[in-house]
Amino acid sequence: MKLVFATNNANKLAEIRSLLPDHIELLSMKDIQCFEDIPETAETLEGNASLKASYIASRHGYNCFADDTGLEIDFLNGAPGVYSARYGGPDKDAEANMDKVLEELKGTNNRKARFRTAIALIIDGREQIFEGIIDGSILAERKGNEGFGYDPIFQPKDREESFAEMSMDEKGDISHRGKAFSKMIEHIKKSY
């Protein structure tokens, strides 16, 4: 089965490709010659995932899926949430995003957070939504060099290391994206 992952993020592609069963061929937007920047204008993660998947399905005719992920911090009333990629400014700069979060959490002991991923899968015109959540906390400073995004400042619950101190496989086994993706793969195996 061929599936398009509606993303231009090479890190996400590599992470998901490492979790895929052999009978599914993962195509990127580049592979299908889609170079548009798909607008993410919804107010929810589910809405943005659905917008991206619908765009690929309707304009390019492929079965596909798209995700949107947000870091939700209790002290910040769920922010940055749907705005996680652009929290530090419009350039989607991971360092600026982390700097802003660390600055806003200065002086508080409430560092509870969660990563939440929503995936919209469209196969033969039918859409399904899958969700994955991992609870944890925001560290006071960056730790580790692996991963991407907020990984250096996010420590999963019951773990000693940040996401950025884990291998891609270790992270994939417990991550929000890994959980949502596992639900999607189970659905595909049962249904297709």
Side-chain angles (χ1 to χ4, degrees):
M1 172 187 268
K2 287 186 179 183
L3 265 182
V4 174
F5 186 2
T7 186
N8 287 312
N9 185 320
N11 292 308
K12 281 186 185 180
L13 276 165
E15 188 175 309
I16 296 305
R17 196 169 272 133
S18 74
L19 301 171
L20 271 175
D22 293 339
H23 71 280
I24 295 176
E25 182 185 351
L26 184 66
L27 301 174
S28 69
M29 289 173 58
K30 184 178 172 186
D31 292 332
I32 64 165
Q33 303 300 302
C34 176
F35 300 105
E36 300 97 293
D37 192 14
I38 303 170
E40 296 180 48
T41 54
E43 295 293 316
T44 64
L45 299 174
E46 293 82 2
N48 278 338
S50 183
L51 280 174
K52 291 186 283 188
S54 296
Y55 186 95
I56 296 296
S58 65
R59 296 200 183 201
H60 295 273
Y62 282 91
N63 291 325
C64 64
F65 65 94
D67 75 323
D68 198 20
T69 295
L71 175 64
E72 301 172 342
I73 301 171
D74 285 4
F75 183 74
L76 302 179
N77 298 313
V82 74
Y83 305 106
S84 293
R86 296 171 184 82
Y87 198 55
D91 296 333
K92 297 184 181 181
D93 182 306
E95 294 302 318
N97 292 338
M98 286 187 285
D99 287 343
K100 184 171 180 181
V101 164
L102 292 173
E103 184 61 35
E104 290 181 337
L105 293 183
K106 271 189 180 164
T108 183
N109 291 326
N110 179 4
R111 302 184 82 83
K112 277 191 195 170
R114 77 203 51 76
F115 267 119
R116 191 165 70 84
T117 291
I119 296 176
L121 170 70
I122 298 177
I123 294 181
D124 301 331
R126 290 193 309 275
E127 183 179 67
Q128 295 274 122
I129 301 287
F130 305 91
E131 180 185 65
I133 297 173
I134 184 161
D135 291 310
S137 59
I138 301 299
L139 298 166
E141 59 187 34
R142 293 165 175 79
K143 285 173 55 181
N145 300 309
E146 299 299 317
F148 58 97
Y150 294 92
D151 287 357
I153 62 170
F154 183 80
Q155 181 175 322
K157 188 176 177 181
D158 302 324
R159 297 299 290 254
E160 296 297 315
E161 59 280 314
S162 75
F163 265 167
E165 294 175 297
M166 297 179 186
S167 71
M168 197 180 296
D169 288 342
E170 286 176 302
K171 180 186 168 189
D173 287 344
I174 65 166
S175 79
H176 47 294
R177 190 172 292 109
K179 289 176 182 181
F181 195 72
S182 292
K183 291 176 187 176
M184 184 184 82
I185 289 297
E186 282 307 306
H187 170 74
I188 290 170
K189 284 179 181 173
K190 275 192 239 165
S191 306
Y192 300 98

